[in-house]
Amino acid sequence: MRAGVELSNADFPDSELRCEQEFIDNLYARVDALRGDTEGAVTDALAQGNTPMQARLERDILVAERSGLLAALNAVDGSLCFGRIDLTSGTNHHIGRIGLRAEDTERTPVLIDWRADVARPFYLATGHTPMGLRRRRHLTTEGRRVTALHDEILDIGDATRTGHEDPTGDAVLLAAIDSARTGRMSDIVQTIQAEQDEIIRAPHRGVLVVEGGPGTGKTAVALHRAAFLLYEHRELLAKRAVLIVGPNPAFLGYIGEVLPSLGETGVLLATVGELFPGVKATATDTRAAAAVKGRADMADVLADVVRDWQALPDPVIAIGHDREVLMLDDGLVNMARERTRAARLPHNAAREIFEGHILNTLTDMVSERIGTDPYDGSNLLDPSDITQIRDELADNPEVWAAIDQLWPRLTPQRLVADFLADPVGYVSDDDAAAIRRPVTRAWTVADVPLLDEAAELLGEDDRVARARADRERETQVAYAQGVLDVSYASRTYEFEDKDEEDSEILSAHDIIDAERFAERHEEDDHRSAAERAAADRTWAFGHIIVDEAQELSPMAWRLLMRRSPTRSMTLVGDPAQTAEAAGVGSWSKILQPYVEDRWEHTRLGVNYRTPAEIMDVAAAVVRAEHPGFEPPSSVRSTGVRPWARATDDLPGAVAKAVGELTPAEGRLAVIAPRDLHRKLAARLEGVTAGAEPDLTRSVVLLDPRQSKGLEFDSVLVVEPSRYGTSDLYVALTRATQRLGVLHSRTLPKPLAAALGEPPA
């Protein structure tokens, strides 16, 4: 309700609450009916386990479709409806996380999906621009029970009052901000602000950059944008899928429940280290190694590595054939190599061409030796003789050993592993020392873009893929034939004692053969688009959302751009928080090589998470290095100032502070340098060092990089003098309520001054 409007009466009946509760009860009766129908259909379909193949496939489709609906209903259960808009025309609409229609018609909406155009005034209407609304209502629920209503009057001339008016219109937003954290991000669908709504509903073609400081909700906006795009462009994106790239597995776990709570389960969430099928990055690089591997010129380095695998004899290769020795020298091989390279095909795909040149060269050698007329030098062999010679050479293992030596088939893993084991000659001595590692070492996140680049350079010899497909096809046909044989045997047994007329009934064996039977099985892939995309390196996504985008290296951007040929992307981040040594940080540097200046930029400027007292301290740290820095403005102040304590016993001081700060509800994070984690964990009950953090626990131990994008009720920052400016800025801005600093070393001067600590 806008300021200046008086409430006419302080004593109102609870009829409004009763009315909304009745609506919610009826809504969930409809949901329960749908759930029962869905569960029953799935159960019935699963019970048909011994049906013929076509029926089994239909059953699988039914299970997939109905299970998807069931998953959506289960994910939003208890918070399905959160608002209502009352129009000046007299029409009312309830707004929810997904849309539902009346049971008796496909056209009557019971609940409006928050993404529908008709729901947009719920987020954008103001007293100055009411957009046809008389009233906006927020419903607060616990499970299926309505606990509170918050009404905002938008038509000032309307004297009707309900007793649930919210004088500021901010009660629901502030309640969400002040609520205890659970270790999982919640959706913001009930409290989307106007500037966020504009970004969420922006056209999906092209690249949109969403910049925002800590607490501006940029991650939540990006996730809701994914949900909106899937709603608005369902047919396209359901086929191509949406990819969401996050900075680390803990972050993906943190945001993993947001889209399901909005009824969307078909999105692929992954880190860069998970985007090369068959490889999982588990090792960690040094900052120097990550910086070298992430540079754009590594693409040229790997191209040089591939060319060097296309070898020349040193000086010749001797091939035994038919009691003679054929000599392949570097001149002959170089001619074959250059002709092969002229085709401009990837290495493995070009191998067939190289094989042809080598076989032709060797065939010429043999035909000249055995078919040349000693008198006039003419060749006495006819084409069939030459073909026979070539076929015999093609059956010679020594020929293929030579080809394997000169132009070997390579996998991306072998190429990159061998390069990293001995990078001398391709990069500077210092860079080589930074990235050198044993062949057997596990992959790192920075290795994955190198593997992807190698895969592009190598390509695939499609003869290998065809042979594999043929083998799989043979297996499927054999399986189908077995099914038909069992069916035929069963039918024969069933009718052997019956009359001739009954035995003429057609069986599956009579109307379909094994190959057609196998084809039906092949054509139906019941995996979701996201599941298929996760297994396919060459998948082209309909849209890609990248969180903490400023941290990605140039090589990582090459990987992502291959997966978005249409350049339909939403990039979310904050250059002030760039901490990775290979991070690009600048939006123009990221995008110029791919889209030049054809991208849009928008900025979120309101901090909904970090209280002003904490934000002032964090901003002072950055301003010491960048005087013109302007942080996002905080919407609230808690009155609780951050504090600092010096100590000679960090583990003991941390354990004591954790005991003081751990809330009855909510979460506390201890953010400390990685090498202190074991000592700190030994003093903290239930906390394990080195493992992937469980953010649902009341106390978690993180390093600054792991804390990016996360939020906690309370935060303890340990030994801040060991952080870089961006890491310290990140660590200081994770708290929603309380911030403490513990240190045994001298505090950085800007931090000490901001905390009111005396100078060292």
Side-chain angles (χ1 to χ4, degrees), residues 20 50 56 58 76 107 109 141 225 242 273 357 369-370 415 455 499 501 542 731:
E20 295 296 353
N50 297 318
R56 254 195 355 256
E58 293 173 356
V76 299
R107 295 188 176 183
T141 58
R225 176 163 169 73
V242 173
H357 286 309
R369 288 187 184 184
I370 68 175
L415 183 84
D499 58 34
E501 183 178 347

Side-chain angles (χ1 to χ4, degrees), residues 212-224:
T216 54
K218 55 187 180 293
T219 297
V221 166
L223 293 172
H224 287 68

Side-chain angles (χ1 to χ4, degrees), residues 35 39 93 103 111 169 175 184 187 207 210 228 252 328 340 397 412 475 514 550 637 660 675 739 741 758:
R35 181 179 286 112
E39 289 175 336
H93 295 300
E103 185 174 7
L111 187 67
R184 292 288 182 264
D187 67 67
V207 177
V210 182
F228 173 76
L252 295 180
L328 272 178
T340 302
T475 301
Q550 76 282 348
S637 173
E660 295 171 350
D675 60 2
L739 172 67
V741 177

Side-chain angles (χ1 to χ4, degrees), residues 1 7-20 84 135-140 146-153 160-172:
M1 188 180 71
L7 298 179
S8 59
N9 195 334
D11 183 20
F12 293 87
D14 288 334
S15 59
E16 293 290 333
L17 271 172
R18 288 196 297 272
C19 180
E20 295 296 353
R84 193 181 91 182
R135 179 192 314 274
R136 171 169 45 216
R137 167 170 288 178
H138 288 272
L139 282 70
T140 301
V146 180
T147 58
L149 306 177
H150 299 272
D151 288 346
E152 187 177 358
I153 304 301
T160 304
R161 297 294 181 267
T162 65
H164 297 281
E165 281 73 22
D166 175 4
T168 65
D170 294 330
V172 175

